[in-house]
Amino acid sequence: MFNSKKTLIAAAVVTAVSGSLLLTGCSDSGSADWKKMIEANDGKYLDGAVVKAILGEDDRARLVKKFDPSNPYSFEVDDAIDGGAHGNMQCKVPEAFVDVHANVKQNYYDDASYKAYGYGTPIAEAALKNWKIHVDGDGQGLPPLDVGMTVEKGANMYIQFCSVCHGEFGEGAKGYLPLAEGDPLPLATSDMNAPAPVKTVGNYWPYATTLYDYNRRAMPFWTPNMPAIGEAGYMGITGYILQMNAVKLDDAGTTIEDEDFFNAEMLMKANKYMRNAGNFFCDHRPVIANERCMKDCPDYMVGDGTGNTKDYRTAGRLPDGTPQYNVEQRIEVSPPGVGHHGF
Amino acid sequence: MTDKVVEKVAIQTEESRNQGRRAFLKGSAAVAGGVLFTQAASASPAMKFDAKKAVAPYSGREEITDVMPDSMSRKMLGWGVRQYPYGMPSPFEKDVQRRTLEWLTPDSMASITMTPLQSLHGMITPNGLHFERYHGGGININPKDHRLVIHGLVERPLIFTMDDLKRFPSESRILFAECPANGAMEWKGVQLNSVQWTHGMMSCVEWTGVRLSTLLKEAGIKPEGKWLIPEGADASGMARSVPIELAMDDCMIAYAQNGEALRPEQGYPIRLVVPGCEANMWVKHLRRIQVSNVPLQHREETSKYTELMPDGTVQNMSWYMEANSVITYPSPDFKMQGPGRYVAKGIAWSGRGKVDHVDITFDGGRNWHEAKLTSAVLPKAWTRFELEFDWDGSELLMMSRTTDETGYVQPGMPQMREIEGTNNVYHRTAMVTWKIHAHNSPQGGMIENVQF
């Protein structure tokens, strides 16, 4: 089974202690050879044989090696290895995507001759005060420390403006998803028949900054960026949502209390203790590198992956046994099955 | 008109099912042994066209002998010019619509419609059928009031009017826009029987606009500017983080689609175009681009649009849409009209470049046959493919598999599910399987979405 980041974090701890680099095994095959291999294969940098030659034999080995930022197929940068817990996670376009980098060079780095057309109008940053609603993963863009309110006041704000859709305790309402965990289903599951896990701020969101950014940017859904809430109100609401998710503020496990004045400083403390932060990793695709087989293909490419073409899943059927079809009166309107819970 | 003509292709209706049955009762000859290929190309080039031989398949078929009535359109004048100052499709095409599944979202302002791929031809989606995805509802913005500002880590923050933007060198590119949730409902099995539902969260149009790299250089982007944060002027203030490599590779600020101004549904008056990447990054109603040293970590790149793996870890910043393909005919909206010769048709695309090959299997993946590419083959655009085959009426399991110019071969669903689990939601880019029910089975000739 796919198991990457958790194992890797454990591995990183061990290797850090022993003083060696994370996944040093990559450097032998990830050296200058890869450019030649890709070139020799007509630039086909995702060809199964090329990927295999550069990264190793099986899918799992390939996958693990991709978490090394020096690997040509890695989307990771050094920052990303720690996930969000210790900073703002970044990813990059892998070096092996040679055509992208060639274009970037030509369109940007090697364009010494560019001279402005002069069609725009200069504008001062200060003139954009009302437009700059951006708070990033580093906390850039947060309001000054005197902007905020007690978590208790924030809760009142929340009940007034948010609870109609999200429930008083973040349990969700009217089809809108919960914000907080009650008894959430575990995120880790490979059970085909288990319902999809519910993703909440507490068990899924990697950044607390996102919560403030998004609340102020787009909430309440019907009247976003609302003056009646204001920056202080959005800060208070953010504090209450983090409290309902039991987000800690330090290693000692200090919790967010009703009487705490919730401001940017508190938010950035909470940002370091988002429970799921360390579980995010950069895009690792493609993981599957198949051959283009045409005749008598091996079993893993056939049917259910064992060569069996007799067992397959079908959609629900109409009472007369016919499959559902895309005709108005035949569209199934019952709630979705497992595996999906809205966007 | 006449009911004696048996249509070869018909949308699934009671009527077409009956037609199929009639064709069967008339005794179409059954061919034993699965799918046969018409080897037109194998004929010797020296042989001349033989008219009698060519029409042989019609021998024994009932001939229409009733005198064809003249139509009303021959007996009266049509309408004058400018009856429709902006033309619309024929009223008979009224069923070709964007459609949505109401249970997908709690409201229609943060929702999605799907393009009716089963009814489209060629590689261009008509503007009125381009799929919609709103995070805060559709809006009409007056272009006179709209501005685009580029600021942050630049030498000279600049603001542009629409007229300013149109003065810059322009570029037109045919590119697909695909929601990364395309096919999201099918991770644990199939739910729906239409290519509109399985693949309709995407469209392909010609976008015209300014290269983003031009505008960034115009403002004097600084070397420490590694991320762009494009932001929309809609209620959701939609934003994402775009790395500098993607921005300088081939991003555009588009103001036109298929030769006319962007439609409001697609972000009028301007949107970001990130070719080959998740359409969620193609911020609509673009108002502001902040050049930053770090990513935003917006809700739509952390809480949503991230892929949950079976071990509980999460893949994020997954920008590229992988190579993908689907057979649009025969597909579940159609029904086979009895044994005989068919032309399978479909679309293939890749977010990383051109489509190199499309292969079709009829036996669930054991053997494959290369299809012909029948449209222009452009990077990050839909490519049309076709393959002729003779159906003997037995059960088929049809899949299409694309190989793109990077050498990536589209995998099957069991392989993808094994690695990425079933709660991933996004980037379900593995093959789909159409089961053609055997002609003499109770669901004879029906085409059903099944999943291994």
Side-chain angles (χ1 to χ4, degrees):
Chain A
M1 194 184 78
F2 180 92
N3 188 340
S4 50
K5 201 69 183 187
K6 282 176 177 165
T7 321
L8 267 164
I9 289 164
V13 172
V14 172
T15 49
V17 169
S18 67
S20 61
L21 278 169
L22 177 66
L23 300 167
T24 44
C26 298
S27 49
D28 53 348
S29 54
S31 59
D33 286 332
W34 65 266
K35 274 190 181 155
K36 280 186 193 146
M37 282 185 204
I38 291 170
E39 208 174 294
N41 277 278
D42 201 20
K44 293 190 184 330
Y45 54 87
L46 295 182
D47 179 82
V50 175
V51 176
K52 201 170 278 182
I54 294 172
L55 290 186
E57 281 309 304
D58 59 81
D59 285 349
R60 170 141 176 82
R62 274 203 293 274
L63 194 59
V64 169
K65 285 184 178 182
K66 282 189 179 182
F67 293 109
D68 174 6
S70 66
N71 182 293
Y73 283 97
S74 179
F75 281 83
E76 313 273 327
V77 298
D78 287 325
D79 250 18
I81 293 296
D82 282 330
H86 304 289
N88 194 348
M89 177 176 176
Q90 305 204 31
C91 306
K92 63 174 169 41
V93 176
E95 293 303 315
F97 293 12
V98 285
D99 54 356
V100 177
H101 291 283
N103 280 344
V104 174
K105 214 161 161 327
Q106 188 190 325
N107 295 337
Y108 179 33
Y109 297 117
D110 287 353
D111 195 359
S113 63
Y114 191 90
K115 211 173 146 204
Y117 290 84
Y119 300 155
T121 304
I123 187 164
E125 285 281 344
L128 298 168
K129 190 166 75 81
N130 292 339
W131 286 17
K132 288 204 265 187
I133 53 170
H134 157 152
V135 175
D136 65 34
D138 277 358
Q140 298 182 89
L142 280 169
L145 297 185
D146 61 335
V147 175
M149 59 176 60
T150 62
V151 174
E152 189 176 7
K153 278 191 185 163
N156 290 336
M157 279 275 193
Y158 174 92
I159 285 165
Q160 189 180 346
F161 293 107
C162 318
S163 64
V164 63
C165 293
H166 296 294
E168 283 188 31
F169 305 101
E171 70 274 21
K174 294 182 177 173
Y176 292 93
L177 294 167
L179 298 179
E181 310 170 41
D183 288 312
L185 294 155
L187 289 174
T189 170
S190 52
D191 184 347
M192 282 289 289
N193 301 309
V198 175
K199 301 169 185 171
T200 66
V201 173
N203 76 349
Y204 196 81
W205 289 44
Y207 296 91
T209 53
T210 306
L211 192 57
Y212 179 80
D213 175 89
Y214 189 71
N215 282 346
R216 185 176 59 165
R217 178 186 295 276
M219 289 289 128
F221 185 64
W222 307 94
T223 49
N225 202 355
M226 206 177 180
I229 298 176
E231 285 194 325
Y234 281 111
M235 193 56 83
I237 289 168
T238 301
Y240 178 60
I241 295 171
L242 292 169
Q243 186 194 42
M244 71 169 71
N245 279 285
V247 175
K248 306 275 189 291
L249 295 172
D250 54 29
D251 283 342
T254 305
T255 52
I256 300 169
E257 302 300 332
D258 287 353
E259 58 277 13
D260 287 345
F261 184 80
F262 200 86
N263 60 5
E265 192 183 2
M266 293 271 280
L267 179 73
M268 290 312 288
K269 278 185 188 169
N271 198 43
K272 284 199 169 148
Y273 292 90
M274 298 299 281
R275 285 194 289 286
N276 202 33
N279 282 332
F280 282 71
F281 63 93
C282 295
D283 185 357
H284 70 294
R285 296 165 305 139
V287 178
I288 304 162
N290 286 343
E291 303 295 327
R292 182 175 165 243
C293 166
M294 297 302 285
K295 279 257 166 293
D296 301 319
C297 295
D299 283 349
Y300 77 88
M301 290 187 186
V302 182
D304 64 3
T306 67
N308 176 8
T309 58
K310 299 293 173 205
D311 293 335
Y312 41 74
R313 297 167 192 83
T314 61
R317 283 172 185 269
L318 297 169
D320 66 358
T322 55
Q324 299 166 29
Y325 277 85
N326 182 25
V327 177
E328 204 74 57
Q329 66 273 21
R330 286 173 175 265
I331 292 169
E332 175 63 52
V333 289
S334 59
V338 290
H340 180 76
H341 53 69
F343 304 113
Chain B
M1 244 188 32
T2 170
D3 65 350
K4 288 184 183 169
V5 177
V6 178
E7 283 181 75
K8 273 223 131 179
V9 178
I11 296 277
Q12 171 63 31
T13 59
E14 283 302 324
E15 194 194 0
S16 69
R17 243 185 278 177
N18 293 338
Q19 283 176 355
R21 218 166 284 139
R22 276 203 299 277
F24 179 66
L25 292 173
K26 278 178 194 159
S28 315
V31 192
V35 170
L36 298 175
F37 290 89
T38 317
Q39 297 293 335
S42 68
S44 156
M47 280 167 73
K48 289 225 168 69
F49 175 72
D50 182 337
K52 283 201 167 62
K53 210 169 135 193
V55 302
Y58 287 102
S59 68
R61 297 262 295 269
E62 197 178 337
E63 188 179 58
I64 295 169
T65 50
D66 296 347
V67 175
M68 297 290 283
D70 220 346
S71 63
M72 280 306 288
S73 61
R74 286 282 305 123
K75 293 173 181 167
M76 55 185 269
L77 265 181
W79 59 73
V81 296
R82 257 184 75 80
Q83 172 79 11
Y84 306 102
Y86 193 99
M88 295 293 282
S90 158
F92 298 101
E93 298 294 318
K94 67 178 167 45
D95 291 335
V96 181
Q97 292 181 6
R98 295 191 281 233
R99 292 178 194 276
T100 189
L101 295 161
E102 274 157 24
W103 48 255
L104 272 181
T105 53
D107 59 68
S108 63
M109 284 74 72
S111 193
I112 192 158
T113 55
M114 284 78 132
T115 292
L117 303 181
Q118 70 277 15
S119 308
L120 296 191
H121 307 277
M123 58 194 293
I124 299 288
T125 307
N127 286 339
L129 294 174
H130 194 295
F131 84 100
E132 305 157 279
R133 172 64 165 121
Y134 306 148
H135 289 85
I139 43 168
N140 284 311
I141 289 179
N142 185 338
K144 285 199 173 69
D145 302 332
H146 193 76
R147 297 289 182 274
L148 171 68
V149 66
I150 297 180
H151 73 113
L153 296 173
V154 295
E155 287 295 330
R156 183 63 272 178
L158 292 175
I159 191 161
F160 301 95
T161 64
M162 288 303 299
D163 288 343
D164 294 340
L165 292 175
K166 287 177 185 169
R167 289 178 72 190
F168 281 97
S170 73
E171 185 177 73
S172 296
R173 286 187 70 186
I174 296 172
L175 299 163
F176 72 83
E178 183 178 18
C179 174
N182 203 10
M185 296 86 86
E186 311 250 317
W187 275 101
K188 287 194 180 184
V190 291
Q191 293 205 61
L192 298 155
N193 264 302
S194 172
V195 70
Q196 184 162 15
W197 306 131
T198 57
H199 292 81
M201 295 183 192
M202 64 160 175
S203 301
C204 184
V205 306
E206 182 203 61
W207 304 95
T208 300
V210 197
R211 275 273 189 150
L212 179 56
S213 58
T214 302
L215 294 183
L216 291 171
K217 285 183 286 185
E218 184 79 8
I221 181 168
K222 293 178 177 172
E224 58 268 35
K226 295 293 180 203
W227 291 87
L228 305 188
I229 320 294
E231 190 173 276
D234 62 331
S236 71
M238 183 62 210
R240 281 284 300 252
S241 306
V242 179
I244 192 73
E245 292 92 350
L246 287 186
M248 292 297 184
D249 178 7
D250 57 355
C251 286
M252 292 164 67
I253 310 285
Y255 44 75
Q257 72 186 83
N258 289 341
E260 62 179 357
L262 291 189
R263 292 288 175 88
E265 298 96 309
Q266 273 74 55
Y268 184 86
I270 43 170
R271 86 176 305 172
L272 181 63
V273 168
V274 190
C277 292
E278 300 186 344
N280 182 251
M281 303 168 78
W282 300 32
V283 173
K284 299 193 287 186
H285 316 293
L286 186 68
R287 175 172 87 163
R288 188 171 75 101
I289 296 176
Q290 179 168 342
V291 182
S292 184
N293 55 343
V294 291
L296 171 60
Q297 309 296 359
H298 185 271
R299 183 242 195 194
E300 314 298 357
E301 56 195 5
T302 53
S303 165
K304 304 291 172 182
Y305 301 97
T306 51
E307 294 104 56
L308 180 59
M309 297 289 162
D311 67 349
T313 61
V314 187
Q315 171 173 283
N316 70 352
M317 300 205 189
S318 30
W319 303 306
Y320 290 99
M321 295 309 299
E322 282 177 299
N324 203 338
S325 65
V326 65
I327 298 168
T328 55
Y329 173 80
S331 71
D333 288 285
F334 300 93
K335 184 174 182 264
M336 304 298 271
Q337 300 296 301
R341 197 198 296 190
Y342 288 85
V343 184
K345 300 174 181 181
I347 318 168
W349 64 100
S350 168
R352 294 194 174 102
K354 289 179 189 166
V355 166
D356 257 9
H357 308 280
V358 181
D359 307 308
I360 292 179
T361 180
F362 297 89
D363 59 7
R366 186 71 71 188
N367 297 292
W368 298 82
H369 308 273
E370 179 152 19
K372 247 196 310 192
L373 304 183
T374 58
S375 67
V377 180
L378 301 174
K380 308 176 183 184
W382 282 359
T383 301
R384 280 278 170 182
F385 64 84
E386 293 191 0
L387 178 67
E388 271 190 41
F389 67 99
D390 278 320
W391 186 45
D392 69 353
S394 62
E395 182 184 301
L396 305 179
L397 291 162
M398 288 181 75
M399 301 149 87
S400 65
R401 176 189 71 188
T402 188
T403 305
D404 72 12
E405 64 172 326
T406 69
Y408 175 76
V409 182
Q410 187 185 2
M413 198 55 206
Q415 257 187 311
M416 183 165 274
R417 212 170 36 220
E418 191 188 343
I419 292 169
E420 309 214 357
T422 56
N423 294 309
N424 193 300
V425 182
Y426 306 98
H427 291 270
R428 202 206 57 74
T429 54
M431 296 182 261
V432 292
T433 308
W434 303 145
K435 173 180 165 177
I436 314 287
H437 286 264
H439 184 65
N440 54 7
S441 72
Q443 273 103 38
M446 281 185 144
I447 301 147
E448 189 178 3
N449 182 13
V450 301
Q451 189 183 104
F452 290 113

